[in-house]
Amino acid sequence: MKYRPLGRTGIHVSPFALGAMMFSSFGNSDQDDVNRMMGRALDAGINLVDTADAYGDSEEMVGRALKGRRDDVVLASKFARPAGDDPNHRGGSRRWIMTAVENSLRRLQTDHLDLYQMHRPDPATDIEETLSALTDLVRSGKVRAIGSSDMPASEIVEAQWVAERRGLERFRVEQPHYSLLDRGIEREVLPMAQKYGMGTVIWSPLASGMLTGRVRRGQESDLRRTQLFAALRDERRIDAVERFIPLAEEAGLPLTHLALAFVIAHPGVTAALIGPRTMEQLDDLLAAADVELSDDLLDRIDKIVPPGTGVGRMDQEYNTPPIVDAALRRRAVPERSAA
């Protein structure tokens, strides 16, 4: 497998990265099976493994699966998603970050993380507070590089400026979602990441399973999450999938391979996370490593979902909070006229 620079960190990673969310009690809880899958992925050349404290017992399972091979991987985890009912056990505060990283290191059975990412933006916390805490972790050696996830372009720029002005570590990696059905980040997020020399690690390149061919028009799906996420029942997205399926067949490719090859073909993308639950799924996804899409095929993809657009909306997508306070978008009555 080829390796690509992870932004300007000096770290090189495989274009396919192993997402470990399914290595947990709500995915595959068989530790022996997870150990075999981890070994298979590493032997195939994957060297980036991504998990999070919000993925149930994933960190524990990953820690056990990496025994004896920790130095072979770029190990990434994330913080900020709620870790219980306590309002202080979440977000980007120094108080929580310092606790969260120790918990992750213990569960992963390691003394450092190669990449520590803010799982979602935290509008309630000053970004300087977050970057200051993360800077201390980098300087202490517990974290090698820091990153963000699903951060709008405007907040990426703000974080970069704050880091420069305050002499803090800056976000070196962004983890957005991107797929054949969700191309919105092509407009601003990917260009900003490229401008600031950030690596990008894509989550959900198979659109939460829609691009596996298991969600079809007029058919019952065996994908369990279809009942949880409205996006997987969105007729507009299903219609687009129905157009991609014959395109993939004409190219002699499984739909999953078309989807993965599309994502890593973008010059602003460093790696795409694959999140298999079974060895069969892992082997299928690894087989896409050799797929190279032609310009003609990419042009035909553009006609189905144009560049910079999306079909429907991913339920998990982070959107800039709406301005619900009317006083923030309306002048006082006497000031509304021009005269």
Side-chain angles (χ1 to χ4, degrees):
M1 194 169 290
K2 301 174 185 176
Y3 294 90
R4 298 174 172 181
L6 186 62
R8 296 177 188 153
T9 63
I11 299 170
H12 286 73
V13 298
S14 49
F16 286 176
L18 186 63
M21 187 171 70
M22 287 293 103
F23 296 169
S24 64
S25 55
F26 54 80
N28 186 341
S29 59
D30 185 328
Q31 184 68 57
D32 290 337
D33 198 24
V34 168
N35 293 349
R36 287 189 290 270
M37 293 175 67
M38 183 70 72
R40 173 78 178 91
L42 300 189
D43 290 344
I46 286 179
N47 74 337
L48 173 57
V49 177
D50 177 272
T51 183
D53 60 4
Y55 297 163
D57 53 353
S58 172
E59 287 181 322
E60 289 97 328
M61 297 192 74
V62 168
R64 291 190 288 267
L66 284 176
K67 277 192 175 181
R69 301 196 69 171
R70 168 64 182 91
D71 292 340
D72 296 339
V73 305
V74 176
L75 183 57
S77 193
K78 299 185 283 294
F79 69 94
R81 297 293 286 271
D85 296 329
D86 190 319
N88 289 315
H89 289 181
R90 66 191 68 185
S93 71
R94 171 178 288 271
R95 184 180 189 274
W96 177 237
I97 289 171
M98 294 305 183
T99 298
V101 73
E102 295 295 344
N103 291 340
S104 289
L105 292 174
R106 184 184 67 255
R107 290 188 289 256
L108 287 162
Q109 302 181 48
T110 186
D111 62 359
H112 73 280
L113 291 169
D114 298 296
L115 175 61
Y116 199 37
Q117 303 159 105
M118 189 176 187
H119 211 152
R120 290 292 185 275
D122 177 11
T125 303
D126 193 319
I127 192 63
E128 184 176 348
E129 166 88 358
T130 301
L131 291 175
S132 175
L134 293 172
T135 296
D136 287 346
L137 292 182
V138 172
R139 292 174 180 172
S140 71
K142 292 183 178 181
V143 170
R144 301 295 191 252
I146 61 174
S148 54
S149 179
D150 271 7
M151 188 168 271
S154 60
E155 295 187 33
I156 289 175
V157 173
E158 180 189 10
Q160 295 289 323
W161 285 0
V162 168
E164 180 179 352
R165 292 173 180 175
R166 301 301 187 194
L168 301 172
E169 287 290 324
R170 62 189 183 90
F171 287 138
R172 301 285 185 167
V173 179
E174 164 62 13
Q175 188 173 123
H177 85 260
Y178 180 47
S179 75
L180 288 167
L181 302 178
D182 306 282
R183 301 182 60 176
I185 66 168
E186 293 176 348
R187 300 178 66 179
E188 293 184 326
V189 171
L190 287 178
M192 283 302 98
Q194 291 175 282
K195 177 180 178 65
Y196 288 106
M198 299 173 70
T200 57
V201 179
I202 302 302
W203 66 270
S204 200
L206 299 182
S208 293
M210 290 199 76
L211 295 171
T212 62
R214 294 167 65 187
V215 181
R216 302 291 304 272
R217 185 191 301 119
Q219 297 181 15
E220 287 292 327
S221 174
D222 62 348
L223 200 63
R224 291 176 295 178
R225 66 185 71 169
T226 55
Q227 300 307 312
L228 299 176
F229 304 116
L232 274 70
R233 304 187 300 275
D234 189 320
E235 289 296 328
R236 296 166 297 175
R237 293 171 72 80
I238 293 174
D239 286 345
V241 170
E242 292 294 337
R243 297 177 66 187
F244 282 125
I245 288 174
L247 183 63
E249 291 175 347
E250 185 178 335
L253 297 172
L255 181 59
T256 51
H257 293 191
L258 178 74
L260 287 172
F262 166 78
V263 167
I264 66 169
H266 194 289
V269 169
T270 307
L273 289 166
I274 58 173
R277 183 175 54 84
T278 67
M279 185 68 80
E280 180 183 11
Q281 292 172 353
L282 175 60
D283 285 337
D284 168 61
L285 298 173
L286 288 175
D290 294 327
V291 176
E292 183 178 282
L293 303 184
S294 67
D295 286 341
D296 176 66
L297 191 53
L298 289 169
D299 289 341
R300 295 175 68 184
I301 287 172
D302 289 346
K303 291 180 180 178
I304 298 174
V305 178
T309 70
V311 182
R313 183 177 69 82
M314 286 282 287
D315 285 3
Q316 306 98 320
E317 181 179 10
Y318 175 82
N319 289 313
T320 303
I323 303 176
V324 295
D325 184 348
L328 296 176
R329 49 188 168 82
R330 298 175 186 170
R331 291 179 179 271
V333 174
E335 301 174 4
R336 293 180 188 173
S337 64

